[in-house]
Amino acid sequence: MSLISLALIVFALTAQGDSAALLRQARRAQTEFERVRVLQLPMGLGSPTGECDERIGRFCYWHDASSDSLPAEPRAVGRGRERLLRVLDSAARALPGDDWLAGQRVRYLVEAGRPADALAAARACRAERWWCEALEGFAGHAAGDFSGADSVFRSALFDMPADERCRWTDLSMVLSEPLRRHYRRLPCVERAAFEARLWWLAQPLWSRSGNDRRTEHFARRTMATLLRHSRSPYGSLGGEDLTELIVRYGWPEAWAQVARGSSIGAERSVIGHEREPAYRFLPDAAQFDSRRTVDESLTDPRPRERYAPTYAATFTVLEPAFAQFRRGESTLVVAAYDVTRDSLFRDVTLDLALVLARDEAAAPYVARRTGAEPAGVLVAAAPWGPAVLSLELLAIRERRAARARIGRLAPPSTAADITVSDLLLFDPPDSVSSELDAVLPHVRGPAPLPRGSRIGLYWEAYGLAPEGEPLATMVSVEPERVGWLRGAFESVGLVSRARPVRLEWTEQGKPQDGIAARALVVDLSPLGPGRYRIELALTAAGRRSASASRSIRITTP
């Protein structure tokens, strides 16, 4: 029986008010659509090796990180989906309280690229309250309203039965060891704090409203629930293996089929294609402690989970320079960035944000700049204390994003200690001032320095006696750890041994409003190409020394 014939039967049953028969025919229409869809799928390519990267129950998964175009959907499939939707629309109007009908209607509207219609359908749902809310969150996420989806998913979790809530919030499938081992030891009712911290760290961009990585998780849970009692291009009904596949990697956006073997009539398998490239945003055990550097890489050849944000076709890690300064009970953070050499951000309009986030419970402090230059400085202020700093860059039209995150502790101090800020590097102007506002226009980003350069250093000392006191200062620029091969060449004279630059002096350090600021220009011309570390040490009589450091790279002009 064709889908058109089933549609006519549904319309007739709707008029007769036969609810049970109406639901049976709607289910038959859905099954028939999925059967016909598979027959019309284009042929695609399977794994080059023919082997699975990972086996999840019945499913063979490949970690294909390419960004090749997704296979196009045949027009006949789109027409068949629209006919199915007409069936589901009629049935749902007659049975607005049916969970299955409400869910499939929203599912296929999202799949058809009609998120606004999907939202309207979810809001017309009269099934169980939590299920209707989950469908609304699912549609809102698809529409890109992550803040709204976040809110309605929270309501769904609150309203759903406790055992269902535990299933939806369970993160065991997506965590890497040893976080997974620790998490699984916690009873469900004691996991909330862990989950809140993990989702805070997993949010791709803190400067955007709504946590889209969290709403993606619950959208995946919604899809897995939708497939418990309905068919898909994979054919079989949902199971724990399909749930794990969806929760870890998402639901395919395109489909193809491949033949097993080369003979005529060879068996064919269906392949699902998720959006690419996808990234690993959930933290590992080291990143979970935000006092450490958070970002190293967002990619992994075989990640435990992946997510491809719809607003970012590419997502990279920046390498800015952060410097933190104290202002009474506040902290002032300077972020210097430079993406002029990155072709992804050349000739595009950039939205820039510097975020200071204390923890998962506190609202972040955000400084923004729209239409930002490809190199520059952004400054943000927040209450003094430990924080995670996040510099975030987004080219909205081109769907390109980048970020850098680093955890920072507030340096511990006592009344007897002096402390020092981070080192801020700048290109020396004709006249050097020891005021931060005068230095900021000349701050350098992370770009390497050409050989023969001069570099400006700015820092601040805190805790000095108000009337001033002698302060011994040492600045050195020395090679970072030399590899064994270069060390061997240096020892036999095949390459010149790098000579450090060292400056030492004592001066009267007198603070203004508790801050003793200093600017210095250092000649780097004695140094050859390579990586170096600038070290600053401050010592006052009877006080503990304070130090700061920065890495630089010198290149051949």
Side-chain angles (χ1 to χ4, degrees):
M1 185 178 293
S2 70
L3 194 58
I4 294 175
S5 299
L6 286 169
L8 293 173
I9 292 173
V10 167
F11 296 148
L13 290 171
T14 300
Q16 297 168 16
D18 190 340
S19 300
L22 179 62
L23 184 56
R24 284 196 301 271
Q25 293 301 332
R27 287 179 177 274
R28 286 183 62 188
Q30 191 268 335
T31 300
E32 178 65 11
F33 166 72
E34 292 296 353
R35 184 189 70 82
V36 173
R37 188 215 300 250
V38 170
L39 294 176
Q40 296 171 332
L41 289 180
M43 297 302 294
L45 298 175
S47 167
T49 64
E51 297 184 0
C52 308
D53 288 338
E54 188 170 1
R55 174 69 69 174
I56 302 176
R58 298 164 290 171
F59 297 95
C60 179
Y61 190 82
W62 304 307
H63 292 281
D64 182 5
S66 68
S67 56
D68 296 338
S69 298
L70 297 174
E73 179 181 83
R75 291 183 180 179
V77 173
R79 291 194 296 268
R81 184 189 298 108
E82 289 304 314
R83 288 193 294 268
L84 172 61
L85 278 167
R86 287 195 289 272
V87 171
L88 294 173
D89 287 347
S90 295
R93 281 194 295 269
L95 302 171
D98 186 84
D99 288 0
W100 186 88
L101 280 173
Q104 299 307 314
R105 190 180 178 207
V106 172
R107 165 191 171 185
Y108 285 109
L109 284 167
V110 167
E111 189 179 280
R114 297 165 54 187
D117 292 335
L119 267 171
R123 288 166 180 164
C125 169
R126 296 297 178 266
E128 286 190 77
R129 182 184 179 90
W130 74 265
W131 178 236
C132 295
E133 291 169 332
L135 293 175
E136 185 177 346
F138 179 76
H141 177 79
D145 180 10
F146 305 123
S147 182
D150 221 355
S151 176
V152 77
F153 273 131
R154 288 181 188 275
S155 296
L157 292 171
F158 179 82
D159 290 331
M160 68 178 57
D163 57 343
E164 191 72 22
R165 185 186 309 114
C166 280
R167 279 193 291 270
W168 279 56
T169 56
D170 190 352
L171 300 176
S172 301
M173 295 178 187
V174 296
L175 294 175
S176 57
E177 299 293 354
L179 277 183
R180 185 179 184 219
R181 186 165 58 250
H182 169 71
Y183 178 78
R184 295 188 74 171
R185 287 198 294 263
L186 298 173
C188 179
V189 294
E190 296 179 13
R191 291 176 172 178
F194 181 104
E195 292 163 357
R197 183 170 188 79
L198 182 118
W199 287 129
W200 170 61
L201 293 169
Q203 184 171 345
L205 295 174
W206 282 332
S207 55
R208 289 176 63 89
S209 61
N211 188 331
D212 54 292
R213 182 59 188 90
R214 180 167 54 206
T215 58
E216 171 73 12
H217 176 79
F218 292 123
R220 292 176 181 184
R221 278 288 182 181
T222 306
M223 176 59 81
T225 305
L226 283 165
L227 295 175
R228 283 183 191 171
H229 306 293
S230 62
R231 297 181 71 83
S232 74
Y234 289 135
S236 57
L237 300 179
E240 288 303 312
D241 51 357
L242 182 57
T243 294
E244 180 176 348
L245 186 70
I246 294 170
V247 169
R248 290 174 61 184
Y249 302 117
W251 185 244
E253 290 202 334
W255 304 89
Q257 55 180 325
V258 295
R260 293 183 179 177
S262 56
S263 62
I264 297 176
E267 183 182 354
R268 294 185 177 187
S269 297
V270 172
I271 296 179
H273 294 265
E274 297 102 27
R275 190 165 56 251
E276 296 285 357
Y279 302 92
R280 176 183 60 82
F281 290 105
L282 265 66
D284 58 24
Q287 295 163 337
F288 196 76
D289 179 0
S290 61
R291 293 173 298 177
R292 305 184 183 188
T293 301
V294 176
D295 273 347
E296 293 179 356
S297 173
L298 298 174
T299 60
D300 189 320
R302 293 196 176 186
R304 185 74 190 169
E305 53 78 33
R306 300 194 307 167
Y307 167 52
T310 54
Y311 55 82
T314 58
F315 210 117
T316 61
V317 174
L318 293 170
E319 294 184 0
F322 291 110
Q324 195 169 354
F325 303 94
R326 186 157 190 174
R327 294 292 180 269
E329 295 303 314
S330 297
T331 182
L332 194 70
V333 175
V334 177
Y337 68 97
D338 187 342
V339 293
T340 53
R341 299 187 178 190
D342 192 333
S343 60
L344 286 174
F345 301 108
R346 193 173 297 151
D347 301 321
V348 300
T349 301
L350 301 178
D351 286 350
L352 190 68
L354 175 57
V355 184
L356 282 61
R358 175 67 59 87
D359 54 36
E360 60 274 22
Y365 292 81
V366 185
R368 301 179 187 272
R369 181 180 299 155
T370 57
E373 297 295 322
V377 173
L378 196 59
V379 180
W384 178 256
V388 182
L389 316 179
S390 185
L391 184 67
E392 302 176 353
L393 187 155
L394 183 63
I396 296 175
R397 186 176 61 185
E398 293 79 11
R399 296 174 54 238
R400 299 168 187 170
R403 76 178 195 195
R405 288 183 183 171
I406 184 170
R408 284 293 178 91
L409 290 175
S413 63
T414 67
D417 288 338
I418 58 171
T419 57
V420 66
S421 70
D422 295 318
L423 283 173
L424 190 64
L425 274 56
F426 64 94
D427 293 317
D430 293 337
S431 176
V432 177
S433 170
S434 292
E435 294 184 2
L436 182 58
D437 287 344
V439 168
L440 284 178
H442 308 286
V443 169
R444 281 191 64 86
L449 291 155
R451 187 173 184 178
S453 296
R454 297 161 68 242
I455 188 69
L457 308 179
Y458 175 88
W459 68 87
E460 296 176 354
Y462 316 105
L464 294 174
E467 66 277 10
E469 58 185 299
L471 188 63
T473 305
M474 186 275 290
V475 174
S476 66
V477 187
E478 301 191 12
E480 291 191 340
R481 189 176 62 178
V482 178
W484 69 268
L485 185 60
R486 181 179 177 88
F489 285 168
E490 287 181 353
S491 66
V492 296
L494 293 179
V495 297
S496 59
R497 190 179 298 274
R499 293 177 295 164
V501 172
R502 189 183 299 269
L503 303 170
E504 296 186 52
W505 72 95
T506 299
E507 61 186 351
Q508 188 74 5
K510 187 168 183 179
Q512 294 184 359
D513 298 324
I515 301 170
R518 186 72 161 87
L520 174 72
V521 177
V522 178
D523 183 4
L524 302 177
S525 58
L527 304 177
R531 297 196 69 89
Y532 295 84
R533 179 165 289 274
I534 302 174
E535 298 279 356
L536 166 70
L538 304 179
T539 306
R543 310 282 203 101
R544 213 171 351 185
S545 295
S547 63
S549 65
R550 275 283 302 274
S551 291
I552 59 171
R553 183 162 66 94
I554 297 176
T555 60
T556 303

